[in-house]
Amino acid sequence: MKELIDKLEKQHILSKEEYTTLIKNFTPEISEYLFEKARNVRHKYYGHDVYMRGLIEFTNYCKNDCLYCGIRHSNKNADRYRLTKEQILDCCKNGYELGFRTFVLQGGEDDYFTDEIIVDIVKSIKQSYPDCAVTLSIGEKSYESYLAYFNAGADRYLLRHETADNEHYHKLHPHNLSPENRKRCLFDLKKIGYQVGCGFMVGSPYQTAENLADDMLFIKKLQPDMVGIGPFIAQHDTPFHDKENGTLELTLFMLGLLRLTVPNALIPSTTALGTIAPNGRELGILAGANVVMPNLSPVSVRKKYLLYDNKICTGDEAAECRFCMQNRMKSIGYNVVISRGDAKQLGVRN
Ligand code: 5AD
Ligand code: FES
């Protein structure tokens, strides 16, 4: 097992069988061995810096019906909301004053927000905050739409691939959604010139170790700038309400493998990880992650953007999360920095 981790550290890739062996057989001791190597690589590129992204959850309307997600179209209990352009710009203003230099606009797939409206919002944010990066996370769109947002000034795009295995994809999504289109979107985004983020849930229903190995190989092929992963957490109003949650241990192990597989990637320690364990986000950083994404959404809507149960930080003001995060990172020897936090290029040391 240790030899496989040594090999991954040197070559940044393993075969599907090798990844699978590690994922099936890891122990606390092997995990520690992996995390130490993951931290070394992370320190080489990013030192002890932790990048912050201000997350603005601007609509929880969604036309899709992903089986795991609390804001799926069929969830009649979801209390739907949309932020206005003015509210979104207010979040950015608040965020800018708190030191955020990246704003992530995330929402369900909501046709109310036409390309024209998104373009207008992106342009306004970039005009007011030219030193900030704008990241969009609004789902599957056409090449033309992605191009229009990019030309308006959007810098980055997050679209988790969810699972690289087509059969597994169909177990998590209704049949009008296809893994082929999801992947098409990711390659279109790269082609246009976005910094692209993909990712997946750890421990999603029906996931196998082989699926996770395929996720690593897919990521190697896509070469994303960012990879977001977090544990699957059941949401009580979804078809997966009685499925088991992903574990802390496996999520951390996958974070370590990711860091060695894509050494210079921007990897968040996610809110979902902080939800399954009180110090989950700190442990994520110690396993190789280098980004945190505190929420900038108005407190009035936070309890409505519930993709999964027991989500943390839903009662806290942006400033509280900002400083809470700073303290959490400090407690483990890391510093949140005021910076756009772009990816470092391979081979360039800090
Ligand atoms: N548990 C954990 N993560 C979830 N997501 C959606 N629903 C859940 C859930 N129940 C993740 C998906 C999506 C991202 C925005 O949140 O991976 O891409
Ligand atoms: Fe939100 Fe700690 S990060 S309260």
Side-chain angles (χ1 to χ4, degrees):
M1 296 274 279
K2 285 193 180 165
E3 312 79 66
L4 287 179
I5 290 172
D6 292 342
K7 184 173 176 190
L8 180 59
E9 182 191 27
K10 281 204 199 74
Q11 306 187 350
H12 311 306
I13 183 143
L14 294 174
S15 67
K16 177 169 177 177
E17 292 67 35
E18 290 168 330
Y19 278 120
T20 305
T21 301
L22 281 171
I23 294 165
K24 277 191 177 155
N25 301 300
F26 75 96
T27 60
E29 189 200 340
I30 292 293
S31 296
E32 265 322 307
Y33 188 76
L34 168 66
F35 300 158
E36 194 182 327
K37 296 204 179 284
R39 284 196 296 271
N40 286 340
V41 173
R42 179 252 202 259
H43 294 152
K44 176 173 144 189
Y45 289 101
Y46 296 99
H48 286 69
D49 289 354
V50 175
Y51 296 142
M52 280 193 301
R53 319 299 194 199
L55 186 62
I56 304 171
E57 297 158 336
F58 71 98
T59 172
N60 71 350
Y61 282 83
C62 192
K63 65 181 181 195
N64 290 336
D65 230 357
C66 306
L67 278 75
Y68 45 83
C69 184
I71 64 169
R72 64 201 301 270
H73 180 78
S74 305
N75 182 6
K76 298 290 171 262
N77 293 328
D79 184 3
R80 307 285 170 174
Y81 73 91
R82 295 184 175 106
L83 299 184
T84 63
K85 178 181 169 188
E86 289 64 39
Q87 284 176 306
I88 295 171
L89 286 166
D90 274 349
C91 293
C92 296
K93 180 167 184 285
N94 188 12
Y96 193 88
E97 285 162 7
L98 292 169
F100 289 92
R101 296 295 178 268
T102 291
F103 302 117
V104 181
L105 296 184
Q106 186 174 88
E109 290 196 16
D110 179 1
D111 286 337
Y112 168 88
F113 287 95
T114 57
D115 288 353
E116 202 184 338
I117 297 179
I118 295 290
V119 161
D120 177 53
I121 293 171
V122 171
K123 278 187 180 162
S124 301
I125 298 175
K126 292 296 283 194
Q127 197 166 23
S128 304
Y129 307 101
D131 54 333
C132 293
V134 171
T135 305
L136 293 176
S137 179
I138 53 175
E140 297 178 22
K141 308 276 178 180
S142 66
Y143 184 93
E144 292 69 33
S145 297
Y146 287 146
L147 185 62
Y149 313 150
F150 186 76
N151 288 336
D155 303 272
R156 308 186 184 131
Y157 205 102
L158 301 178
L159 184 75
R160 288 190 179 179
H161 64 284
E162 308 299 358
T163 172
D165 182 88
N166 290 355
E167 230 175 274
H168 185 219
Y169 193 93
H170 287 300
K171 293 182 180 164
L172 302 179
H173 301 94
H175 267 273
N176 64 325
L177 294 175
S178 80
E180 292 81 12
N181 194 53
R182 194 95 184 157
K183 290 175 185 158
R184 187 273 304 160
C185 288
L186 284 164
F187 286 100
D188 278 357
L189 289 161
K190 287 249 334 179
K191 191 165 158 198
I192 290 170
Y194 283 96
Q195 296 172 39
V196 173
C198 65
F200 55 91
M201 291 177 287
V202 177
S204 60
Y206 315 109
Q207 185 180 63
T208 62
E210 286 79 6
N211 293 156
L212 287 168
D214 277 333
D215 286 322
M216 303 309 279
L217 295 176
F218 173 73
I219 288 165
K220 204 65 201 170
K221 188 166 107 193
L222 178 67
Q223 294 194 280
D225 302 273
M226 298 143 333
V227 186
I229 72 171
F232 161 76
I233 304 174
Q235 204 281 357
H236 62 278
D237 284 320
T238 64
F240 288 166
H241 63 95
D242 58 355
K243 301 289 186 211
E244 279 198 30
N245 291 346
T247 65
L248 174 68
E249 291 73 19
L250 182 56
T251 306
L252 295 174
F253 193 73
M254 294 311 299
L255 281 171
L257 291 182
L258 261 180
R259 174 57 65 202
L260 294 188
T261 301
V262 274
N264 63 332
L266 297 159
I267 303 177
S269 193
T270 55
T271 304
L273 192 53
T275 297
I276 57 162
N279 59 343
R281 288 167 299 176
E282 291 88 324
L283 295 174
I285 297 292
L286 291 170
N290 63 335
V291 170
V292 291
M293 300 176 72
N295 208 310
L296 287 180
S297 310
V299 176
S300 58
V301 302
R302 284 198 193 194
K303 285 197 169 58
K304 302 179 183 179
Y305 201 84
L306 296 181
L307 309 185
Y308 47 81
D309 286 345
N310 304 315
K311 188 177 173 200
I312 53 170
C313 298
T314 57
D316 301 281
E317 292 288 347
E320 293 178 71
C321 286
R322 156 75 172 84
F323 293 105
C324 172
M325 200 58 89
Q326 181 167 327
N327 292 334
R328 285 173 182 271
M329 295 300 115
K330 225 173 148 184
S331 76
I332 53 167
Y334 288 80
N335 321 302
V336 296
V337 293
I338 296 179
S339 138
R340 273 177 49 122
D342 290 298
K344 304 276 185 211
Q345 291 315 300
L346 272 177
V348 179
R349 280 162 193 263
N350 240 11

